[in-house]
Structures are given as C-alpha cells and as structure tokens.
Amino acid sequence: MKYDMTLTEKQNLTAYLISIATITIGGSVYNFAISYFLLNETGSALYFSINLAISSITFLIITPFSGVLTDFLNRRNIIIYGEFILMLSILLLFIVTYFYGLSLFSIYIVTFIRSLFNAIVNNAFSASVSNMFHIDNLQKVLGLSSSIQSSATFLGPILGGLLFGISSFELVLFIFLLLSLISFLFDYSINFELFKKENISNNFITDSKINYFKKFLDEIKSGFKYLVSVPILSTVIFVGVFINFFNAGDMVLPEKMMINVLDFSPIQVGIVNGIMACGTVVAGIYLANTKKIENHLNVMRWGFIICAFITILIPIPIYLEKHFQFNFLYLSTILFVKFFVLALINVPFIRIIHEETEDYMKGRVFSGLGVISSAIIPIAFILYGFIYDLGFYFLPNIISAVIIILLSIIYFNPKKFI
C-alpha cells in the first residue's frame, strides 16, 4: 500500500532538497577555489595534499564519536548548532582574508573545523532521514536528493572556475557564506521528529559519576557489536564496502586513461565527467518517479554484477587505439551507465540500513559505515593508482570484476535472510 505524503512531510522535503542544493553548490564552489589556490598560487602539490590529509584524518577520528553524539543528543540541535559553527568558520575566513589576505594557516584551520563539524552534522542528518520522512517515501526522497547533489556537484566547479576567474576569492567566500545561510534557514524549518519512534532511555548524559571517555568508547563498541549482530546489516555494510574497494579502480583509471594515455584535453575530460555525473542525476529522477523497490538485495546483486562487467570493459580503448571520437563516445556512454547503476544500488543500500536499524542505534551504525569506508577506500585508490602507473590495466580489472561477481552472488542472495 502506497503512503501519500502529508503536508508537513512535503514541507520537509522542499526544505531538505533546497538545503542540499544550496550547500552542495556552495561547498563545490568553495572546494574548487581552495584547490585552485593551493595548486596554482603556491605551485606545490604538497600543500594541497596536507589540506586533504587534515580533512581525511579529522573525519576518520571524529566519525565514531559523532555516532554516539547523534544517538544520545538531540539530532536537530546537533545539525542546527553544527551548521551555525560551519557558517561561522567561513565568516571568519572571509574577514581574515579581506583584511589580511589568504594564508595557508587560515585555510588549514578552517579545513580542520569544517571536517570536524561536517562529520558530526552529516552523521546526524543520515540518522534523521527516516524521522523526517515516512519509510515508504525514502526511495523518492533519496532519489531526488541524489539527483540534486549530483547536479550541484557538477555545477559547483563550473561556477567556481567562473567566479575565481573574473573576481576574487573574497567573493567566492561571500557567496558560500550566503548559500550556507540559506541552507541553515531551511534546515531550521524542518520537523526532525515527524516519524520519530520512541528511543530506548539512557543515562549517558545525566550520570555525573561516569567516565565520559570510557563511556564514549563503550558506546562506539556497542555500535559495531550491534552492526555485526544483525546479519543483513553486517552483510550489506561489510561486503558492500569491500565490493566498493574493488570498484575503486573505476574512479582512477578513466582519469588516467583520458589524461595520460588517450590525450584528452582538459575540456574534453570535463565533458566526460559531466556526462558521468548525469548518470547519477537520471537515476535519481528515475527512482523518485518509479514504484518502490521491494527486493533490495536483488537490485544490489545485479547492480554490482553489471558494474563488474563495466570494470572489465573500461580499459578497452587503450588496446584498440581508435580515433578520439570513438574513445570519447565509448567512455562517456560506459561511465554514464556505471554511475546510473551505482545510484540505483545506493538507494536500497541506505534503505536497508534505515529499515533494519533501531532508531537509537542509527547514529552509531552510520558512523561505523563512515569509519570502515574512510579507512579502506583511500587504500584502494593508492593501490590501483600504483598498479595503473606500472602499465597494468586489463588484468587487475578482470581480477577485480571476478571478485565483485563472486561476492555479489554469494552474499547478496535474498534466500540467505528469509
């Protein structure tokens, strides 16, 4: 039976989507400007790498703690206060830059603050989605948000390049600050407890005799224990993350092929990446307008199998030595399909987590997913980058595809969980 959205839920959806669009565009413009400054103005990849390292390490350290905070504190307050601090960090960077000029130290400080509070806010938002919307409407919500995020991520660098080229870094910061304010105001209007279920009571905050650090660690452990105790959850998260490990080469190889092997120009690389992002946009629109997916595991299994075959096909232009037109159309098409399928997989993935996780544990489960992903995926990028630099393309992709197919067939079988 289909559940129709209430007026309040529709208002939630409107505010949520506008908030996502504004903050994603603003963040993409800001990230482009920071990256351009670090790489172009300083001429050093090291300074750029340090900024990435600060972001990654901060996220990895704080994410487990953010899960505990999400489960034990008011999620709306976490989001609102966290977004206010994020907005304040950009305001301070704007003031410092306006009066004293842009400096590496100020960038690194703001990167640290934003990584810290983004991890907390994003975790609270992930855990709150099923409280903001009815479970039967999650597919539509996730489809629309995925489509909007992909579109905004695609537009962000274009706007960033345009603004940075014709104006100043201060204007980029001012626009990001304005978009952050818009996002903050719409998030403030959201009802975060529309479909909230009563949580199990706890004494984490009220017990004055407690060792808070030990309690934090105990609660983080309890999140991982809970994750492992639910078979379908542990399968979807752990196997899904390992499959994504072997899918990581598809994020590295196309760029290397286009830039270092097939001699695409920067504009041509950008167009292919834009078409690739359109795959996610189209998938989001499709999911928002199609009937509810019933067999989540089947969709994930066949989706990953299709992705595995695409992994095998990606390096073919290297060996065929065709003209640019063929290589351009081939990569554009195959990457569009790849990201379309990945977006289809992502919605059942997130929905299973929401459906199978008790509300009082969602923060810790989502933070556990963040820790596992952020710990293992960068290793995959480094590994595949090293292998491709050695000139091996086809063989590692075949091995990866075979592993993905085997994991999908063995573990994403609905009969295992009946």
Side-chain angles (χ1 to χ4, degrees), residues 108-180:
Y108 292 158
I109 290 294
V110 170
T111 295
F112 171 75
I113 295 171
R114 291 190 58 78
S115 300
L116 181 69
F117 284 94
N118 264 325
I120 297 171
V121 170
N122 291 341
N123 188 269
F125 242 130
S126 296
S128 299
V129 171
S130 58
N131 294 340
M132 295 154 50
F133 307 102
H134 192 276
I135 195 74
D136 286 346
N137 291 325
L138 277 187
Q139 177 176 314
K140 178 178 181 178
V141 172
L142 293 173
L144 287 171
S145 64
S146 173
S147 180
I148 288 173
Q149 279 182 305
S150 299
S151 301
T153 302
F154 172 61
L155 288 172
I158 297 174
L159 294 173
L162 181 64
L163 289 170
F164 204 86
I166 64 175
S167 61
S168 63
F169 187 78
E170 288 90 339
L171 180 61
V172 172
L173 288 176
F174 180 77
I175 290 174
F176 185 26
L177 186 63
L178 184 62
L179 292 174
S180 298

Side-chain angles (χ1 to χ4, degrees), residues 89-364:
S89 70
I90 296 302
L91 176 60
L92 292 174
L93 182 61
F94 173 78
I95 294 171
V96 170
T97 302
Y98 184 81
F99 287 102
Y100 302 103
L102 189 60
S103 68
L104 287 175
F105 181 73
S106 60
I107 289 175
Y108 292 158
I109 290 294
V110 170
T111 295
F112 171 75
I113 295 171
R114 291 190 58 78
S115 300
L116 181 69
F117 284 94
N118 264 325
I120 297 171
V121 170
N122 291 341
N123 188 269
F125 242 130
S126 296
S128 299
V129 171
S130 58
N131 294 340
M132 295 154 50
F133 307 102
H134 192 276
I135 195 74
D136 286 346
N137 291 325
L138 277 187
Q139 177 176 314
K140 178 178 181 178
V141 172
L142 293 173
L144 287 171
S145 64
S146 173
S147 180
I148 288 173
Q149 279 182 305
S150 299
S151 301
T153 302
F154 172 61
L155 288 172
I158 297 174
L159 294 173
L162 181 64
L163 289 170
F164 204 86
I166 64 175
S167 61
S168 63
F169 187 78
E170 288 90 339
L171 180 61
V172 172
L173 288 176
F174 180 77
I175 290 174
F176 185 26
L177 186 63
L178 184 62
L179 292 174
S180 298
L181 176 61
I182 294 171
S183 176
F184 172 81
L185 293 174
F186 275 102
D187 285 342
Y188 191 85
S189 71
I190 293 175
N191 184 341
F192 285 91
E193 300 186 352
L194 189 59
F195 297 99
K196 184 178 180 180
K197 296 176 183 177
E198 191 148 341
N199 279 356
I200 292 175
S201 61
N202 60 76
N203 298 317
F204 182 81
I205 302 301
T206 58
D207 188 348
S208 60
K209 297 179 180 179
I210 203 165
N211 181 328
Y212 284 100
F213 183 73
K214 183 178 184 301
K215 184 63 176 174
F216 260 110
L217 294 180
D218 289 342
E219 294 301 337
I220 291 169
K221 290 177 186 176
S222 72
F224 280 100
K225 287 179 181 177
Y226 180 90
L227 199 160
V228 173
S229 70
V230 182
I232 190 170
L233 266 185
S234 58
T235 296
V236 165
I237 290 180
F238 284 105
V239 178
V241 168
F242 275 103
I243 286 178
N244 283 334
F245 179 94
F246 293 103
N247 253 322
D250 292 357
M251 301 295 293
V252 178
L253 182 56
E255 299 293 316
K256 180 172 179 59
M257 286 172 59
M258 288 187 286
I259 296 170
N260 298 128
V261 182
L262 302 177
D263 295 323
F264 281 27
S265 71
I267 294 175
Q268 292 159 353
V269 173
I271 294 173
V272 173
N273 284 331
I275 294 172
M276 179 175 70
C278 285
T280 307
V281 175
V282 173
I285 295 171
Y286 169 77
L287 287 166
N289 293 282
T290 193
K291 64 181 183 179
K292 174 185 168 184
I293 294 173
E294 299 293 344
N295 198 329
H296 305 320
L297 288 175
N298 248 345
V299 171
M300 293 181 69
R301 176 171 57 173
W302 286 108
F304 279 127
I305 289 173
I306 292 171
C307 286
F309 281 106
I310 292 175
T311 295
I312 296 174
L313 295 174
I314 285 176
I316 283 180
I318 296 175
Y319 301 97
L320 290 182
E321 297 182 355
K322 294 286 185 178
H323 293 298
F324 163 76
Q325 289 84 353
F326 171 86
N327 295 334
F328 179 84
L329 289 174
Y330 180 88
L331 285 175
S332 297
T333 303
I334 206 164
L335 292 175
F336 174 92
V337 175
K338 172 86 177 185
F339 276 74
F340 177 87
V341 175
L342 285 176
L344 293 186
I345 294 170
N346 191 52
V347 168
F349 178 78
I350 299 298
R351 180 160 178 167
I352 286 173
I353 296 175
H354 275 290
E355 289 183 345
E356 300 296 330
T357 307
E358 296 291 339
D359 191 64
Y360 74 96
M361 289 297 300
K362 282 182 180 175
R364 279 163 284 180

